[in-house]
Amino acid sequence: YCDHMAGEVKKREFDFKKSDQRLEHCRDKLVLAMQERTVLEKLKEKQYSQYKLVTSRLEQKELDDIAIGRYIRNQLQL
């Protein structure tokens, strides 16, 4: 009986170690996925900031063109 129980203990220890290894593997995958997500979020934020900057510059250019046109019209009317 003792030999049988010792074998059961060893089997369960082996199963535990195997499960622990699988758990560690899953944790490593999770960490990598979280890092990748963080990088993608930062890239997305950077692209959005660049988009806002470009659109802001284009809008400012249009407003400048309108202001120049108004100024020229006012000068011609004088």
Side-chain angles (χ1 to χ4, degrees), residues 4-73:
H4 174 69
M5 292 307 289
E8 279 294 314
V9 168
K10 287 185 180 185
K11 180 183 175 201
R12 297 206 183 202
E13 285 176 351
F14 177 77
D15 291 342
F16 177 78
K17 286 180 183 179
K18 192 174 179 181
S19 295
D20 193 44
Q21 288 173 349
R22 284 197 334 240
L23 176 64
E24 285 300 317
H25 177 70
C26 290
R27 282 184 183 160
D28 291 341
K29 285 175 60 175
L30 176 63
V31 168
L32 288 174
M34 290 172 61
Q35 288 174 345
E36 186 176 327
R37 181 178 178 189
T38 302
V39 168
L40 290 174
E41 286 177 0
K42 286 181 182 180
L43 286 173
K44 184 177 177 181
E45 288 174 10
K46 185 176 178 181
Q47 287 176 343
Y48 181 66
S49 294
Q50 289 175 344
Y51 168 77
K52 285 182 9 181
L53 180 64
V54 168
T55 55
S56 175
R57 286 181 180 169
L58 289 173
E59 183 180 351
Q60 187 62 46
K61 184 178 181 217
E62 288 179 23
L63 293 174
D64 289 346
D65 289 343
I66 291 170
I68 290 170
R70 283 185 181 173
Y71 177 77
I72 291 173
R73 261 191 315 242

